[in-house]
Amino acid sequence: MTALREAPGTGKVHSVFNRTVNVLAPWGQLVTVAARQLDDAPWTVRADTRGWTDMGVRAGDPVGFSAREISFDSLDTAVLLPGAREWFAKRIPLAAITTAELASCAAALGGLLEDHGIRGGILQEHPKEGTAQANAFDAGIAQGLRTGREALEAAVRAGDGAAIGGTALQLLGLGSGLTPAGDDFLCGLALFSAQPGSRLGAVRAALSAVVGQHPDRTTLLSWTTLREAVDGRARESLLELLSMLFRHRAEDAAGLARHLRAPVDRALGIGHTSGTDILSGLLAGLRLETELRGSL
């Protein structure tokens, strides 16, 4: 809201999807105008509509920004801003959570991802007898995601900041779509490392540097999402899942998994594999946090 008040002007539509329109604002920030059924998120305005694809909005259309409204010239309509509720990302303190509780949380989330996650990104397909082999391009991406993730986790365990940055750079932009799988994994890991009390400070610092220095390595949407994640900001559904994970941490893994099933399902609904890939990054953060605390 502050940016709207201080930097009015004309932007343009960047991309259009069924439930979101991404707009490049006059000051260079990517802003999402989302349908009302979506959750709150950084740089997102939720509008009183259920979808955009049938409304005639097109990439490149001019969009007016002011303290009062975001106006789409092609629609002769506007999203009014006075009275809008501002949203702030919650932080999840980790210092009081024990190593055993972290391990239980990791076991619960890992089991849910294995059983219900969407394969094809970080969570790779099970080999199936009699099916055709993936093409060379897809196989190369899958191999890069696997080796990049393993190398990054090894660098974190070794406490090697330079290697953390180098392996993160290998994952940045790796995959297909507007938010590649490598980015989504980094997003989940960054979000966990940004929570107060995390022992993954070296991860956050390295990821912040990589993202800041390489904006052209990936898509604008994915880069924007990653930049927010290293500061602890992400979609409300992800933060609520993280909060619930630790709210019920005293339970055994099976009981915790029952409480988590609904919020995990909501997160898995992000994109095609994006939700799964982000949660895979959160899970990596959980496991690494557990290992690092156990080694102290």
Side-chain angles (χ1 to χ4, degrees):
M1 298 297 287
T2 300
L4 293 176
R5 288 192 292 268
E6 296 179 353
T10 301
K12 65 179 180 179
V13 175
H14 172 272
S15 49
V16 183
F17 301 93
N18 182 35
R19 299 186 296 176
T20 60
V21 174
N22 296 310
V23 180
L24 192 61
W27 60 94
Q29 172 66 46
L30 196 66
V31 175
T32 296
V33 184
R36 60 178 175 268
Q37 66 268 33
L38 294 184
D39 50 335
D40 290 312
W43 292 104
T44 296
V45 177
R46 293 168 63 200
D48 189 18
T49 181
R50 292 198 62 81
W52 293 98
T53 51
D54 295 330
M55 298 181 67
V57 182
R58 299 288 184 268
D61 286 352
V63 181
F65 282 79
S66 72
R68 184 177 183 276
E69 63 184 26
I70 300 174
S71 57
F72 294 85
D73 290 359
S74 58
L75 298 182
D76 192 27
T77 191
V79 178
L80 300 179
L81 300 175
R85 176 182 59 85
E86 289 196 58
W87 172 81
F88 300 93
K90 68 181 72 173
R91 296 299 181 99
I92 317 297
L94 303 181
I97 300 169
T98 68
T99 302
E101 289 168 342
L102 285 167
S104 178
C105 290
L109 182 56
L112 288 169
L113 271 178
E114 181 64 27
D115 292 342
H116 305 288
I118 309 300
R119 297 182 181 276
I122 290 291
L123 196 63
Q124 296 183 4
E125 299 279 2
H126 291 307
K128 296 179 181 178
E129 187 176 351
T131 58
Q133 294 292 317
N135 64 50
F137 179 75
D138 289 342
I141 288 178
Q143 176 67 20
L145 290 171
R146 181 170 58 253
T147 58
R149 185 191 72 242
E150 291 171 353
L152 175 56
E153 292 173 356
V156 175
R157 293 185 184 100
D160 187 338
I164 294 171
T167 53
L169 184 58
Q170 292 175 28
L171 288 170
L172 186 63
L174 184 58
S176 59
L178 278 175
T179 58
D183 294 6
D184 288 330
F185 177 82
L186 293 175
C187 179
L189 181 59
L191 181 61
F192 187 92
S193 70
Q195 301 310 309
S198 172
R199 306 291 174 86
L200 302 181
V203 175
R204 183 186 182 191
L207 291 180
S208 180
V210 166
V211 171
Q213 293 166 11
H214 300 278
D216 297 329
R217 183 80 174 221
T218 188
T219 68
L220 178 59
L221 177 60
S222 195
W223 181 83
T224 300
T225 303
L226 267 168
R227 188 189 62 191
E228 295 300 314
V230 296
D231 286 332
R233 295 187 291 270
R235 290 176 64 153
E236 177 67 19
S237 54
L238 294 170
L239 294 170
E240 181 56 32
L241 168 59
L242 196 55
S243 176
M244 186 171 289
L245 188 69
F246 298 126
R247 195 181 309 149
H248 297 280
R249 65 186 186 271
E251 299 187 23
D252 59 42
L256 180 55
R258 287 192 294 272
H259 279 106
L260 291 179
R261 178 63 193 278
V264 163
D265 282 348
R266 284 194 292 273
L268 293 177
I270 300 172
H272 178 51
T273 66
S274 285
T276 299
D277 298 334
I278 293 169
L279 292 189
S280 295
L282 277 176
L283 177 60
L286 266 170
R287 288 172 170 167
L288 289 166
E289 181 86 14
T290 303
E291 292 180 33
L292 292 181
R293 290 194 185 192
S295 66
L296 294 179

